[in-house]
Amino acid sequence: MTSSLLMPRGRVRAGVDSRQEAVGATAPTRILDWQHPYVTSMRRRIGMTADVGETADPASRTADLRRAHQWIAKAVQPVYSVQDERPVSQILRRGRGSCSQRLAVLEAVARASGVPTRVRGLLVDGTFWYPRFPRLHQLVPHQVVLAWPEFRIDATSWLTVSELFGGLDELSESADGGFTNTGSETLFEALSRTAIDWDGTTLCPATGPACDLSAYVLSDLGHFDSRDALFTHHGQTLCPMARLIAEPVLGHRAAS
């Protein structure tokens, strides 16, 4: 049984009108503080292409984002931090972060390179994380607010982070199967090898771990211009007191 005791009180999380359009942006935000020297240094080490706006080749932009993802996967240790609003510069300084925080680093690098980003808000069933906490189910929040990034690599279309390394049907054919949410591989690493499908539209293999995760989606919260806007509107997963108590422990616990 998951827990609702750690959730913010008096907040209703429901989907938005699907006709509303989030245009995204490249501007820095409090979370995506890409002008910070830590982010600048990271881009230099990765060898990211200079900002050339919407005239950049989409293939080159995608290749840059893939390199950034692989760098983050190696350089930022996966932990169970619960502070979703922590600025990217602090994540890089600490050298560790949750899946959500590591995705934020990828967004910040994209914006710094002239690639507009936005996020899709998903309300995910807490049971999705049961395999990570086999003896502590009662402490897993029953709903988790997930900011799922999208990148505008050309003037007309958005690339979801799920398809950064290829189409979902193509990725679903991975010989290693889908994502089990167990072991050392986190959701962030899994993006590079298997389909992460929140909508149930992928032709998944009949056997092996599932790549269709749509059964865990409780609500589609819609698109937001930034993860800052999503968390301002819907709040973080845990209430402030729960984050204060949990962060010193979970923020150092390796995701394995």
Side-chain angles (χ1 to χ4, degrees):
M1 177 180 293
T2 52
S3 174
S4 62
L5 299 178
L6 308 178
M7 310 290 290
R9 297 298 178 186
R11 185 182 289 275
V12 177
R13 288 168 171 157
V16 298
D17 188 335
S18 61
R19 294 171 297 179
Q20 295 180 354
E21 179 70 14
V23 298
T26 57
T29 68
R30 192 184 69 80
I31 299 176
L32 308 177
D33 57 344
W34 60 259
Q35 293 177 321
H36 193 280
Y38 281 132
V39 183
T40 303
S41 174
M42 172 189 167
R43 289 184 64 236
R44 185 166 54 248
R45 279 179 282 176
I46 297 173
M48 296 286 286
T49 303
D51 177 9
V52 290
E54 293 188 354
T55 62
D57 174 43
S60 296
R61 285 185 158 187
T62 302
D64 279 350
L65 291 175
R66 288 177 178 178
R67 286 203 310 276
H69 175 276
Q70 301 292 15
W71 187 94
I72 296 165
K74 294 178 181 178
V76 183
Q77 178 189 11
V79 294
Y80 294 111
S81 175
V82 295
Q83 297 286 8
D84 286 331
E85 292 187 343
R86 177 166 287 155
V88 164
S89 59
Q90 292 186 23
I91 298 165
L92 291 175
R93 177 177 62 81
R94 294 166 181 260
R96 59 181 184 272
S98 66
C99 280
S100 178
Q101 291 169 341
R102 296 160 94 200
L103 286 170
V105 176
L106 184 61
E107 289 177 66
V109 171
R111 289 193 174 207
S113 301
V115 179
T117 75
R118 67 181 185 184
V119 297
R120 180 186 179 190
L122 296 169
L123 198 61
V124 180
D125 194 320
T127 60
F128 179 62
W129 281 270
Y130 270 8
R132 298 281 178 187
F133 302 93
R135 298 179 181 84
L136 297 172
H137 290 178
Q138 68 275 16
L139 297 180
V140 176
H142 75 288
Q143 298 176 347
V144 174
V145 179
L146 180 62
W148 203 242
E150 296 181 359
F151 309 92
R152 198 172 73 217
I153 59 170
D154 59 42
T156 60
S157 60
W158 288 93
L159 177 73
T160 174
V161 72
S162 295
E163 297 184 292
L164 181 59
F165 288 88
L168 291 181
D169 287 339
E170 174 189 1
L171 290 169
S172 71
E173 298 174 356
S174 166
D176 297 326
F179 178 63
T180 62
N181 214 359
T182 59
S184 61
E185 183 185 61
T186 71
L187 195 60
F188 185 85
E189 281 88 11
L191 290 168
S192 65
R193 70 158 189 87
T194 189
I196 303 295
D197 177 15
W198 298 111
D199 297 299
T201 61
T202 304
L203 299 175
C204 300
T207 59
C211 58
D212 176 3
L213 305 178
S214 61
Y216 292 104
V217 177
L218 301 175
S219 181
D220 184 343
L221 302 176
H223 288 93
F224 294 81
D225 289 327
S226 68
R227 62 180 49 234
D228 303 61
L230 168 65
F231 293 131
T232 295
H233 190 83
H234 288 288
Q236 297 182 65
T237 295
L238 300 182
C239 66
M241 182 57 69
R243 295 199 304 271
L244 182 65
I245 295 172
E247 182 62 24
V249 177
L250 296 180
H252 291 82
R253 180 180 173 183
S256 63

PDB file of all heavy atoms in Angstrom, residues 145-181:
ATOM      1  N   VAL A 145       4.667  13.240  -9.168  1.00  0.00           N
ATOM      2  CA  VAL A 145       4.624  14.211 -10.259  1.00  0.00           C
ATOM      3  C   VAL A 145       5.918  14.095 -11.056  1.00  0.00           C
ATOM      4  O   VAL A 145       7.008  14.312 -10.530  1.00  0.00           O
ATOM      5  CB  VAL A 145       4.470  15.651  -9.717  1.00  0.00           C
ATOM      6  CG1 VAL A 145       4.444  16.651 -10.873  1.00  0.00           C
ATOM      7  CG2 VAL A 145       3.207  15.781  -8.878  1.00  0.00           C
ATOM      8  N   LEU A 146       5.782  13.738 -12.327  1.00  0.00           N
ATOM      9  CA  LEU A 146       6.947  13.504 -13.188  1.00  0.00           C
ATOM     10  C   LEU A 146       6.971  14.531 -14.313  1.00  0.00           C
ATOM     11  O   LEU A 146       5.992  14.693 -15.038  1.00  0.00           O
ATOM     12  CB  LEU A 146       6.893  12.096 -13.765  1.00  0.00           C
ATOM     13  CG  LEU A 146       8.040  11.659 -14.691  1.00  0.00           C
ATOM     14  CD1 LEU A 146       9.366  11.666 -13.935  1.00  0.00           C
ATOM     15  CD2 LEU A 146       7.773  10.277 -15.266  1.00  0.00           C
ATOM     16  N   ALA A 147       8.091  15.238 -14.450  1.00  0.00           N
ATOM     17  CA  ALA A 147       8.287  16.200 -15.542  1.00  0.00           C
ATOM     18  C   ALA A 147       9.040  15.494 -16.657  1.00  0.00           C
ATOM     19  O   ALA A 147      10.226  15.169 -16.507  1.00  0.00           O
ATOM     20  CB  ALA A 147       9.073  17.409 -15.043  1.00  0.00           C
ATOM     21  N   TRP A 148       8.369  15.259 -17.783  1.00  0.00           N
ATOM     22  CA  TRP A 148       8.950  14.493 -18.896  1.00  0.00           C
ATOM     23  C   TRP A 148       9.302  15.459 -20.019  1.00  0.00           C
ATOM     24  O   TRP A 148       8.432  16.043 -20.650  1.00  0.00           O
ATOM     25  CB  TRP A 148       7.947  13.444 -19.359  1.00  0.00           C
ATOM     26  CG  TRP A 148       8.566  12.288 -20.080  1.00  0.00           C
ATOM     27  CD1 TRP A 148       8.341  11.911 -21.381  1.00  0.00           C
ATOM     28  CD2 TRP A 148       9.487  11.341 -19.549  1.00  0.00           C
ATOM     29  NE1 TRP A 148       9.079  10.782 -21.675  1.00  0.00           N
ATOM     30  CE2 TRP A 148       9.795  10.408 -20.575  1.00  0.00           C
ATOM     31  CE3 TRP A 148      10.105  11.196 -18.290  1.00  0.00           C
ATOM     32  CZ2 TRP A 148      10.683   9.358 -20.383  1.00  0.00           C
ATOM     33  CZ3 TRP A 148      11.001  10.141 -18.101  1.00  0.00           C
ATOM     34  CH2 TRP A 148      11.271   9.240 -19.142  1.00  0.00           C
ATOM     35  N   PRO A 149      10.595  15.656 -20.311  1.00  0.00           N
ATOM     36  CA  PRO A 149      11.020  16.719 -21.236  1.00  0.00           C
ATOM     37  C   PRO A 149      10.702  16.446 -22.706  1.00  0.00           C
ATOM     38  O   PRO A 149      10.629  15.303 -23.153  1.00  0.00           O
ATOM     39  CB  PRO A 149      12.537  16.775 -21.028  1.00  0.00           C
ATOM     40  CG  PRO A 149      12.800  16.041 -19.759  1.00  0.00           C
ATOM     41  CD  PRO A 149      11.730  15.004 -19.656  1.00  0.00           C
ATOM     42  N   GLU A 150      10.565  17.552 -23.426  1.00  0.00           N
ATOM     43  CA  GLU A 150      10.466  17.524 -24.881  1.00  0.00           C
ATOM     44  C   GLU A 150      11.353  18.629 -25.431  1.00  0.00           C
ATOM     45  O   GLU A 150      11.529  19.671 -24.806  1.00  0.00           O
ATOM     46  CB  GLU A 150       9.012  17.722 -25.338  1.00  0.00           C
ATOM     47  CG  GLU A 150       8.085  16.596 -24.887  1.00  0.00           C
ATOM     48  CD  GLU A 150       6.655  16.789 -25.372  1.00  0.00           C
ATOM     49  OE1 GLU A 150       6.379  17.808 -26.052  1.00  0.00           O
ATOM     50  OE2 GLU A 150       5.815  15.922 -25.073  1.00  0.00           O
ATOM     51  N   PHE A 151      11.926  18.386 -26.619  1.00  0.00           N
ATOM     52  CA  PHE A 151      12.886  19.308 -27.227  1.00  0.00           C
ATOM     53  C   PHE A 151      12.419  19.682 -28.627  1.00  0.00           C
ATOM     54  O   PHE A 151      12.042  18.803 -29.415  1.00  0.00           O
ATOM     55  CB  PHE A 151      14.269  18.645 -27.315  1.00  0.00           C
ATOM     56  CG  PHE A 151      14.741  18.052 -26.016  1.00  0.00           C
ATOM     57  CD1 PHE A 151      14.475  16.722 -25.707  1.00  0.00           C
ATOM     58  CD2 PHE A 151      15.421  18.823 -25.101  1.00  0.00           C
ATOM     59  CE1 PHE A 151      14.900  16.164 -24.508  1.00  0.00           C
ATOM     60  CE2 PHE A 151      15.848  18.284 -23.892  1.00  0.00           C
ATOM     61  CZ  PHE A 151      15.587  16.949 -23.598  1.00  0.00           C
ATOM     62  N   ARG A 152      12.457  20.976 -28.949  1.00  0.00           N
ATOM     63  CA  ARG A 152      12.090  21.411 -30.299  1.00  0.00           C
ATOM     64  C   ARG A 152      13.375  21.523 -31.120  1.00  0.00           C
ATOM     65  O   ARG A 152      14.059  22.542 -31.107  1.00  0.00           O
ATOM     66  CB  ARG A 152      11.339  22.743 -30.271  1.00  0.00           C
ATOM     67  CG  ARG A 152      10.561  22.987 -31.583  1.00  0.00           C
ATOM     68  CD  ARG A 152       9.673  24.205 -31.492  1.00  0.00           C
ATOM     69  NE  ARG A 152      10.441  25.430 -31.526  1.00  0.00           N
ATOM     70  CZ  ARG A 152      10.147  26.529 -30.823  1.00  0.00           C
ATOM     71  NH1 ARG A 152       9.122  26.532 -30.020  1.00  0.00           N
ATOM     72  NH2 ARG A 152      10.886  27.616 -30.929  1.00  0.00           N
ATOM     73  N   ILE A 153      13.649  20.444 -31.835  1.00  0.00           N
ATOM     74  CA  ILE A 153      14.911  20.405 -32.577  1.00  0.00           C
ATOM     75  C   ILE A 153      14.792  21.038 -33.958  1.00  0.00           C
ATOM     76  O   ILE A 153      15.791  21.227 -34.635  1.00  0.00           O
ATOM     77  CB  ILE A 153      15.437  18.970 -32.693  1.00  0.00           C
ATOM     78  CG1 ILE A 153      14.433  18.081 -33.410  1.00  0.00           C
ATOM     79  CG2 ILE A 153      15.771  18.411 -31.313  1.00  0.00           C
ATOM     80  CD1 ILE A 153      14.980  16.720 -33.767  1.00  0.00           C
ATOM     81  N   ASP A 154      13.574  21.324 -34.388  1.00  0.00           N
ATOM     82  CA  ASP A 154      13.390  22.118 -35.599  1.00  0.00           C
ATOM     83  C   ASP A 154      12.216  23.053 -35.366  1.00  0.00           C
ATOM     84  O   ASP A 154      11.645  23.097 -34.270  1.00  0.00           O
ATOM     85  CB  ASP A 154      13.184  21.247 -36.837  1.00  0.00           C
ATOM     86  CG  ASP A 154      11.978  20.315 -36.716  1.00  0.00           C
ATOM     87  OD1 ASP A 154      10.920  20.753 -36.213  1.00  0.00           O
ATOM     88  OD2 ASP A 154      12.088  19.150 -37.122  1.00  0.00           O
ATOM     89  N   ALA A 155      11.850  23.807 -36.370  1.00  0.00           N
ATOM     90  CA  ALA A 155      10.864  24.864 -36.181  1.00  0.00           C
ATOM     91  C   ALA A 155       9.440  24.359 -36.013  1.00  0.00           C
ATOM     92  O   ALA A 155       8.558  25.105 -35.583  1.00  0.00           O
ATOM     93  CB  ALA A 155      10.921  25.842 -37.365  1.00  0.00           C
ATOM     94  N   THR A 156       9.184  23.099 -36.319  1.00  0.00           N
ATOM     95  CA  THR A 156       7.788  22.645 -36.367  1.00  0.00           C
ATOM     96  C   THR A 156       7.446  21.474 -35.460  1.00  0.00           C
ATOM     97  O   THR A 156       6.266  21.212 -35.225  1.00  0.00           O
ATOM     98  CB  THR A 156       7.419  22.233 -37.815  1.00  0.00           C
ATOM     99  OG1 THR A 156       8.296  21.168 -38.232  1.00  0.00           O
ATOM    100  CG2 THR A 156       7.568  23.423 -38.752  1.00  0.00           C
ATOM    101  N   SER A 157       8.441  20.738 -34.954  1.00  0.00           N
ATOM    102  CA  SER A 157       8.098  19.512 -34.230  1.00  0.00           C
ATOM    103  C   SER A 157       8.853  19.405 -32.913  1.00  0.00           C
ATOM    104  O   SER A 157       9.927  19.979 -32.734  1.00  0.00           O
ATOM    105  CB  SER A 157       8.397  18.284 -35.099  1.00  0.00           C
ATOM    106  OG  SER A 157       9.765  18.241 -35.440  1.00  0.00           O
ATOM    107  N   TRP A 158       8.253  18.628 -32.002  1.00  0.00           N
ATOM    108  CA  TRP A 158       8.845  18.375 -30.697  1.00  0.00           C
ATOM    109  C   TRP A 158       9.340  16.929 -30.628  1.00  0.00           C
ATOM    110  O   TRP A 158       8.674  16.012 -31.083  1.00  0.00           O
ATOM    111  CB  TRP A 158       7.828  18.613 -29.591  1.00  0.00           C
ATOM    112  CG  TRP A 158       7.506  20.052 -29.368  1.00  0.00           C
ATOM    113  CD1 TRP A 158       6.488  20.770 -29.932  1.00  0.00           C
ATOM    114  CD2 TRP A 158       8.213  20.960 -28.527  1.00  0.00           C
ATOM    115  NE1 TRP A 158       6.524  22.068 -29.503  1.00  0.00           N
ATOM    116  CE2 TRP A 158       7.571  22.220 -28.630  1.00  0.00           C
ATOM    117  CE3 TRP A 158       9.333  20.839 -27.695  1.00  0.00           C
ATOM    118  CZ2 TRP A 158       8.004  23.334 -27.928  1.00  0.00           C
ATOM    119  CZ3 TRP A 158       9.764  21.956 -26.988  1.00  0.00           C
ATOM    120  CH2 TRP A 158       9.102  23.191 -27.115  1.00  0.00           C
ATOM    121  N   LEU A 159      10.504  16.738 -30.027  1.00  0.00           N
ATOM    122  CA  LEU A 159      11.075  15.411 -29.812  1.00  0.00           C
ATOM    123  C   LEU A 159      10.996  15.095 -28.326  1.00  0.00           C
ATOM    124  O   LEU A 159      11.636  15.759 -27.507  1.00  0.00           O
ATOM    125  CB  LEU A 159      12.529  15.371 -30.276  1.00  0.00           C
ATOM    126  CG  LEU A 159      13.283  14.055 -30.040  1.00  0.00           C
ATOM    127  CD1 LEU A 159      12.791  12.985 -31.007  1.00  0.00           C
ATOM    128  CD2 LEU A 159      14.785  14.265 -30.194  1.00  0.00           C
ATOM    129  N   THR A 160      10.182  14.084 -27.958  1.00  0.00           N
ATOM    130  CA  THR A 160      10.124  13.694 -26.560  1.00  0.00           C
ATOM    131  C   THR A 160      11.407  12.975 -26.167  1.00  0.00           C
ATOM    132  O   THR A 160      12.052  12.327 -26.996  1.00  0.00           O
ATOM    133  CB  THR A 160       8.914  12.781 -26.295  1.00  0.00           C
ATOM    134  OG1 THR A 160       8.968  12.300 -24.945  1.00  0.00           O
ATOM    135  CG2 THR A 160       8.899  11.588 -27.229  1.00  0.00           C
ATOM    136  N   VAL A 161      11.781  13.097 -24.900  1.00  0.00           N
ATOM    137  CA  VAL A 161      13.013  12.455 -24.457  1.00  0.00           C
ATOM    138  C   VAL A 161      12.924  10.943 -24.611  1.00  0.00           C
ATOM    139  O   VAL A 161      13.949  10.271 -24.751  1.00  0.00           O
ATOM    140  CB  VAL A 161      13.326  12.856 -22.991  1.00  0.00           C
ATOM    141  CG1 VAL A 161      12.355  12.195 -22.009  1.00  0.00           C
ATOM    142  CG2 VAL A 161      14.764  12.548 -22.631  1.00  0.00           C
ATOM    143  N   SER A 162      11.718  10.376 -24.641  1.00  0.00           N
ATOM    144  CA  SER A 162      11.554   8.940 -24.872  1.00  0.00           C
ATOM    145  C   SER A 162      12.091   8.517 -26.228  1.00  0.00           C
ATOM    146  O   SER A 162      12.483   7.357 -26.421  1.00  0.00           O
ATOM    147  CB  SER A 162      10.073   8.551 -24.790  1.00  0.00           C
ATOM    148  OG  SER A 162       9.550   8.741 -23.501  1.00  0.00           O
ATOM    149  N   GLU A 163      12.101   9.433 -27.199  1.00  0.00           N
ATOM    150  CA  GLU A 163      12.527   9.111 -28.555  1.00  0.00           C
ATOM    151  C   GLU A 163      13.862   9.753 -28.917  1.00  0.00           C
ATOM    152  O   GLU A 163      14.211   9.835 -30.090  1.00  0.00           O
ATOM    153  CB  GLU A 163      11.453   9.546 -29.548  1.00  0.00           C
ATOM    154  CG  GLU A 163      10.129   8.808 -29.344  1.00  0.00           C
ATOM    155  CD  GLU A 163       9.094   9.175 -30.377  1.00  0.00           C
ATOM    156  OE1 GLU A 163       8.639  10.336 -30.353  1.00  0.00           O
ATOM    157  OE2 GLU A 163       8.740   8.313 -31.198  1.00  0.00           O
ATOM    158  N   LEU A 164      14.608  10.161 -27.910  1.00  0.00           N
ATOM    159  CA  LEU A 164      15.898  10.785 -28.169  1.00  0.00           C
ATOM    160  C   LEU A 164      16.856   9.833 -28.880  1.00  0.00           C
ATOM    161  O   LEU A 164      17.661  10.238 -29.710  1.00  0.00           O
ATOM    162  CB  LEU A 164      16.516  11.261 -26.842  1.00  0.00           C
ATOM    163  CG  LEU A 164      17.876  11.957 -26.915  1.00  0.00           C
ATOM    164  CD1 LEU A 164      17.807  13.203 -27.803  1.00  0.00           C
ATOM    165  CD2 LEU A 164      18.363  12.324 -25.514  1.00  0.00           C
ATOM    166  N   PHE A 165      16.745   8.540 -28.581  1.00  0.00           N
ATOM    167  CA  PHE A 165      17.650   7.553 -29.167  1.00  0.00           C
ATOM    168  C   PHE A 165      16.975   6.693 -30.229  1.00  0.00           C
ATOM    169  O   PHE A 165      17.496   5.638 -30.606  1.00  0.00           O
ATOM    170  CB  PHE A 165      18.240   6.672 -28.066  1.00  0.00           C
ATOM    171  CG  PHE A 165      19.253   7.387 -27.211  1.00  0.00           C
ATOM    172  CD1 PHE A 165      18.856   8.098 -26.096  1.00  0.00           C
ATOM    173  CD2 PHE A 165      20.600   7.371 -27.543  1.00  0.00           C
ATOM    174  CE1 PHE A 165      19.775   8.764 -25.306  1.00  0.00           C
ATOM    175  CE2 PHE A 165      21.531   8.039 -26.759  1.00  0.00           C
ATOM    176  CZ  PHE A 165      21.123   8.739 -25.641  1.00  0.00           C
ATOM    177  N   GLY A 166      15.819   7.132 -30.728  1.00  0.00           N
ATOM    178  CA  GLY A 166      15.140   6.395 -31.791  1.00  0.00           C
ATOM    179  C   GLY A 166      13.650   6.315 -31.545  1.00  0.00           C
ATOM    180  O   GLY A 166      13.145   6.690 -30.482  1.00  0.00           O
ATOM    181  N   GLY A 167      12.919   5.826 -32.554  1.00  0.00           N
ATOM    182  CA  GLY A 167      11.487   5.670 -32.418  1.00  0.00           C
ATOM    183  C   GLY A 167      11.139   4.622 -31.371  1.00  0.00           C
ATOM    184  O   GLY A 167      11.905   3.685 -31.133  1.00  0.00           O
ATOM    185  N   LEU A 168       9.965   4.751 -30.752  1.00  0.00           N
ATOM    186  CA  LEU A 168       9.594   3.838 -29.684  1.00  0.00           C
ATOM    187  C   LEU A 168       9.466   2.400 -30.170  1.00  0.00           C
ATOM    188  O   LEU A 168       9.871   1.462 -29.478  1.00  0.00           O
ATOM    189  CB  LEU A 168       8.286   4.302 -29.034  1.00  0.00           C
ATOM    190  CG  LEU A 168       8.372   5.600 -28.223  1.00  0.00           C
ATOM    191  CD1 LEU A 168       7.014   5.939 -27.617  1.00  0.00           C
ATOM    192  CD2 LEU A 168       9.423   5.486 -27.125  1.00  0.00           C
ATOM    193  N   ASP A 169       8.882   2.206 -31.368  1.00  0.00           N
ATOM    194  CA  ASP A 169       8.758   0.844 -31.884  1.00  0.00           C
ATOM    195  C   ASP A 169      10.130   0.220 -32.118  1.00  0.00           C
ATOM    196  O   ASP A 169      10.349  -0.974 -31.848  1.00  0.00           O
ATOM    197  CB  ASP A 169       7.949   0.834 -33.180  1.00  0.00           C
ATOM    198  CG  ASP A 169       6.466   1.080 -32.943  1.00  0.00           C
ATOM    199  OD1 ASP A 169       6.012   0.854 -31.806  1.00  0.00           O
ATOM    200  OD2 ASP A 169       5.773   1.498 -33.888  1.00  0.00           O
ATOM    201  N   GLU A 170      11.049   1.029 -32.607  1.00  0.00           N
ATOM    202  CA  GLU A 170      12.418   0.544 -32.825  1.00  0.00           C
ATOM    203  C   GLU A 170      13.086   0.187 -31.501  1.00  0.00           C
ATOM    204  O   GLU A 170      13.692  -0.877 -31.352  1.00  0.00           O
ATOM    205  CB  GLU A 170      13.223   1.617 -33.553  1.00  0.00           C
ATOM    206  CG  GLU A 170      14.701   1.303 -33.714  1.00  0.00           C
ATOM    207  CD  GLU A 170      15.497   2.491 -34.238  1.00  0.00           C
ATOM    208  OE1 GLU A 170      14.894   3.570 -34.459  1.00  0.00           O
ATOM    209  OE2 GLU A 170      16.712   2.336 -34.396  1.00  0.00           O
ATOM    210  N   LEU A 171      12.953   1.070 -30.502  1.00  0.00           N
ATOM    211  CA  LEU A 171      13.581   0.841 -29.209  1.00  0.00           C
ATOM    212  C   LEU A 171      12.963  -0.334 -28.465  1.00  0.00           C
ATOM    213  O   LEU A 171      13.624  -0.990 -27.658  1.00  0.00           O
ATOM    214  CB  LEU A 171      13.473   2.107 -28.351  1.00  0.00           C
ATOM    215  CG  LEU A 171      14.328   3.297 -28.789  1.00  0.00           C
ATOM    216  CD1 LEU A 171      13.928   4.555 -28.025  1.00  0.00           C
ATOM    217  CD2 LEU A 171      15.810   2.996 -28.573  1.00  0.00           C
ATOM    218  N   SER A 172      11.690  -0.600 -28.725  1.00  0.00           N
ATOM    219  CA  SER A 172      11.008  -1.689 -28.027  1.00  0.00           C
ATOM    220  C   SER A 172      11.576  -3.050 -28.396  1.00  0.00           C
ATOM    221  O   SER A 172      11.331  -4.044 -27.705  1.00  0.00           O
ATOM    222  CB  SER A 172       9.511  -1.667 -28.335  1.00  0.00           C
ATOM    223  OG  SER A 172       9.254  -2.066 -29.676  1.00  0.00           O
ATOM    224  N   GLU A 173      12.353  -3.112 -29.489  1.00  0.00           N
ATOM    225  CA  GLU A 173      12.929  -4.374 -29.937  1.00  0.00           C
ATOM    226  C   GLU A 173      14.261  -4.696 -29.266  1.00  0.00           C
ATOM    227  O   GLU A 173      14.945  -5.647 -29.652  1.00  0.00           O
ATOM    228  CB  GLU A 173      13.117  -4.337 -31.452  1.00  0.00           C
ATOM    229  CG  GLU A 173      11.807  -4.186 -32.226  1.00  0.00           C
ATOM    230  CD  GLU A 173      12.027  -4.002 -33.709  1.00  0.00           C
ATOM    231  OE1 GLU A 173      13.201  -3.919 -34.113  1.00  0.00           O
ATOM    232  OE2 GLU A 173      11.035  -3.949 -34.459  1.00  0.00           O
ATOM    233  N   SER A 174      14.616  -3.928 -28.245  1.00  0.00           N
ATOM    234  CA  SER A 174      15.874  -4.164 -27.536  1.00  0.00           C
ATOM    235  C   SER A 174      15.960  -5.604 -27.045  1.00  0.00           C
ATOM    236  O   SER A 174      15.008  -6.154 -26.473  1.00  0.00           O
ATOM    237  CB  SER A 174      15.981  -3.218 -26.330  1.00  0.00           C
ATOM    238  OG  SER A 174      17.010  -3.618 -25.457  1.00  0.00           O
ATOM    239  N   ALA A 175      17.101  -6.210 -27.256  1.00  0.00           N
ATOM    240  CA  ALA A 175      17.295  -7.600 -26.826  1.00  0.00           C
ATOM    241  C   ALA A 175      17.257  -7.735 -25.311  1.00  0.00           C
ATOM    242  O   ALA A 175      17.001  -8.817 -24.776  1.00  0.00           O
ATOM    243  CB  ALA A 175      18.624  -8.127 -27.360  1.00  0.00           C
ATOM    244  N   ASP A 176      17.491  -6.631 -24.618  1.00  0.00           N
ATOM    245  CA  ASP A 176      17.500  -6.666 -23.151  1.00  0.00           C
ATOM    246  C   ASP A 176      16.115  -6.438 -22.554  1.00  0.00           C
ATOM    247  O   ASP A 176      15.957  -6.442 -21.335  1.00  0.00           O
ATOM    248  CB  ASP A 176      18.456  -5.586 -22.616  1.00  0.00           C
ATOM    249  CG  ASP A 176      19.895  -5.841 -23.045  1.00  0.00           C
ATOM    250  OD1 ASP A 176      20.271  -7.025 -23.137  1.00  0.00           O
ATOM    251  OD2 ASP A 176      20.615  -4.868 -23.290  1.00  0.00           O
ATOM    252  N   GLY A 177      15.117  -6.228 -23.390  1.00  0.00           N
ATOM    253  CA  GLY A 177      13.760  -6.036 -22.884  1.00  0.00           C
ATOM    254  C   GLY A 177      13.491  -4.617 -22.421  1.00  0.00           C
ATOM    255  O   GLY A 177      14.290  -3.702 -22.644  1.00  0.00           O
ATOM    256  N   GLY A 178      12.351  -4.421 -21.785  1.00  0.00           N
ATOM    257  CA  GLY A 178      11.932  -3.096 -21.335  1.00  0.00           C
ATOM    258  C   GLY A 178      12.552  -2.696 -20.010  1.00  0.00           C
ATOM    259  O   GLY A 178      13.565  -3.248 -19.577  1.00  0.00           O
ATOM    260  N   PHE A 179      11.910  -1.742 -19.347  1.00  0.00           N
ATOM    261  CA  PHE A 179      12.440  -1.185 -18.100  1.00  0.00           C
ATOM    262  C   PHE A 179      11.730  -1.827 -16.917  1.00  0.00           C
ATOM    263  O   PHE A 179      10.501  -1.801 -16.826  1.00  0.00           O
ATOM    264  CB  PHE A 179      12.240   0.331 -18.089  1.00  0.00           C
ATOM    265  CG  PHE A 179      12.718   0.984 -16.826  1.00  0.00           C
ATOM    266  CD1 PHE A 179      14.057   0.942 -16.476  1.00  0.00           C
ATOM    267  CD2 PHE A 179      11.834   1.630 -15.986  1.00  0.00           C
ATOM    268  CE1 PHE A 179      14.516   1.540 -15.310  1.00  0.00           C
ATOM    269  CE2 PHE A 179      12.272   2.239 -14.818  1.00  0.00           C
ATOM    270  CZ  PHE A 179      13.620   2.192 -14.482  1.00  0.00           C
ATOM    271  N   THR A 180      12.503  -2.397 -15.992  1.00  0.00           N
ATOM    272  CA  THR A 180      11.930  -3.101 -14.847  1.00  0.00           C
ATOM    273  C   THR A 180      11.922  -2.272 -13.564  1.00  0.00           C
ATOM    274  O   THR A 180      11.310  -2.671 -12.580  1.00  0.00           O
ATOM    275  CB  THR A 180      12.719  -4.387 -14.565  1.00  0.00           C
ATOM    276  OG1 THR A 180      14.073  -4.040 -14.229  1.00  0.00           O
ATOM    277  CG2 THR A 180      12.716  -5.307 -15.785  1.00  0.00           C
ATOM    278  N   ASN A 181      12.616  -1.138 -13.562  1.00  0.00           N
ATOM    279  CA  ASN A 181      12.745  -0.307 -12.359  1.00  0.00           C
ATOM    280  C   ASN A 181      13.424  -1.070 -11.229  1.00  0.00           C
ATOM    281  O   ASN A 181      13.097  -0.879 -10.054  1.00  0.00           O
ATOM    282  CB  ASN A 181      11.380   0.224 -11.895  1.00  0.00           C
ATOM    283  CG  ASN A 181      11.491   1.613 -11.273  1.00  0.00           C
ATOM    284  OD1 ASN A 181      12.588   2.172 -11.167  1.00  0.00           O
ATOM    285  ND2 ASN A 181      10.371   2.177 -10.867  1.00  0.00           N
TER     286      ASN A 181
END
